[in-house]
Amino acid sequence: GMIRAMHAALDQWREDPEVLAVVVRSRHPRAFCAGGDIRFLYESAQRGEQDARDTFFIEEYRLNHAIFTFPKPYIALMNGVVMGGGMGISQGAHRTGGLRVVTNSTKMAMPETRIGLFPDVGAGWFLARTPGAIGRYLAVTGETIGAADALYAGLADTYLDDAALPALVDTLRSEPFERGADVVACIEREALAHQVVPQPEASSLAHGRALIDRHFALPDVTRILASLQSEREAADWAEQMIAVLRERSPLSMAVSLEVVTRAE
């Protein structure tokens, strides 16, 4: 129902001259989290309803495509949990001249290898455009990152405090704009008053970048694991990553790595 409602709204607004830009947001602390889809897929599988599962994915991917190709600025206020399907309805903003805005509550991931799936919803496009081997690392491990990490990885464009979002939305509703670019500029001006801590260059992804590039640039999961094991005595991070990979679905990790590799 949510997918259909969002797609219908975008279809309606696409050619409407009164609509200059689209802002997608949630007041819920879990915000852009997926998860309801996983429950639905599990329950439909238990009932043998293959058509229902096909319909879900077809309609989800059509919505993602509509967002990625939307002709007006699409702005995602990515507060709270932004994972899986939530990434699919936010990352496309980057292609539209819009913005991906993260906040102090942002928890971002493509966690599919934890549950036997693989990063879809356009993940090949946005993970392949991260620096170094970060996209491969995020796809294979399903690890969660925060706002500074997302900015460092190029998975977000700007930062605002959570507390500033209600006033920003009020401004966007009340202030007159002539063009979609003016809406984007208004948000960018507001963001200048907010600084993410730590700075992207001091984020955990930045600190781990050399190790991520060394190990996760390798061509398959078996070699990544062997490389990590060769360094486990020297680096606690390698030991932690081995434990993470041992918990993930082997087939899902292999498929996820292939998705990003082909997209690169």
Side-chain angles (χ1 to χ4, degrees):
M2 187 185 299
I3 288 168
R4 289 171 177 171
M6 290 184 72
H7 205 157
L10 292 176
D11 284 346
Q12 180 182 338
W13 296 335
R14 181 182 293 268
E15 306 299 336
D16 186 344
E18 295 295 307
V19 177
L20 303 179
V22 172
V23 177
V24 59
R25 71 182 287 254
S26 170
R27 293 184 184 87
H28 195 283
R30 291 176 70 84
F32 285 75
C33 176
D37 53 346
I38 304 304
R39 180 171 178 173
F40 162 77
L41 292 167
Y42 173 79
E43 291 176 351
S44 63
Q46 294 293 299
R47 294 191 294 265
E49 297 172 350
Q50 179 65 46
D51 288 348
R53 299 203 301 281
D54 288 350
T55 298
F56 170 80
F57 282 117
I58 288 166
E59 295 196 22
E60 181 184 32
Y61 298 160
R62 280 179 176 158
L63 173 61
N64 299 147
H65 186 263
I67 292 167
F68 273 73
T69 58
F70 202 66
K72 301 173 183 181
Y74 178 99
I75 297 141
L77 303 181
M78 301 161 69
N79 59 298
V81 181
V82 187
M83 297 186 181
M87 291 282 269
I89 59 168
S90 51
Q91 287 297 327
H94 187 62
R95 277 191 58 131
T96 67
L99 291 169
R100 299 162 299 171
V101 182
V102 284
T103 75
N104 41 304
S105 67
T106 300
K107 293 180 176 64
M108 183 183 290
M110 292 301 292
E112 282 76 5
T113 58
R114 301 180 193 178
I115 53 172
L117 296 177
F118 64 92
D120 50 358
V121 298
W125 188 86
F126 58 78
L127 289 181
R129 283 163 172 75
T130 56
I134 287 175
R136 294 159 170 250
Y137 161 76
L138 294 174
V140 171
T141 65
E143 289 288 88
T144 301
I145 61 174
D149 297 312
L151 290 162
Y152 177 78
L155 294 171
D157 302 303
T158 194
Y159 172 86
L160 278 166
D161 291 339
D162 279 302
L165 293 183
L168 172 66
V169 173
D170 287 344
T171 298
L172 294 178
R173 283 182 172 142
S174 60
E175 191 171 314
F177 298 102
E178 291 187 8
R179 303 171 303 141
D182 299 332
V183 180
V184 173
C186 173
I187 297 170
E188 289 176 328
R189 283 195 303 273
E190 175 65 25
L192 291 175
H194 301 263
Q195 290 294 322
V196 63
V197 178
Q199 287 287 291
E201 296 75 21
S203 66
S204 57
L205 269 188
H207 281 306
R209 173 72 186 279
L211 290 167
I212 288 169
D213 287 357
R214 184 185 314 157
H215 300 296
F216 284 86
L218 293 168
D220 59 61
V221 176
T222 303
R223 281 188 247 186
I224 290 170
L225 197 51
S227 179
L228 288 166
Q229 286 171 330
S230 71
E231 197 165 338
R232 66 192 306 174
E233 302 297 329
D236 290 341
W237 182 87
E239 185 77 36
Q240 292 165 10
M241 282 302 105
I242 291 167
V244 166
L245 298 185
R246 292 294 188 198
E247 289 181 348
R248 305 297 186 246
S249 160
L251 179 58
S252 289
M253 289 191 294
V255 171
S256 300
L257 186 63
E258 184 75 8
V259 166
V260 180
T261 302
R262 289 192 190 189
E264 287 171 347

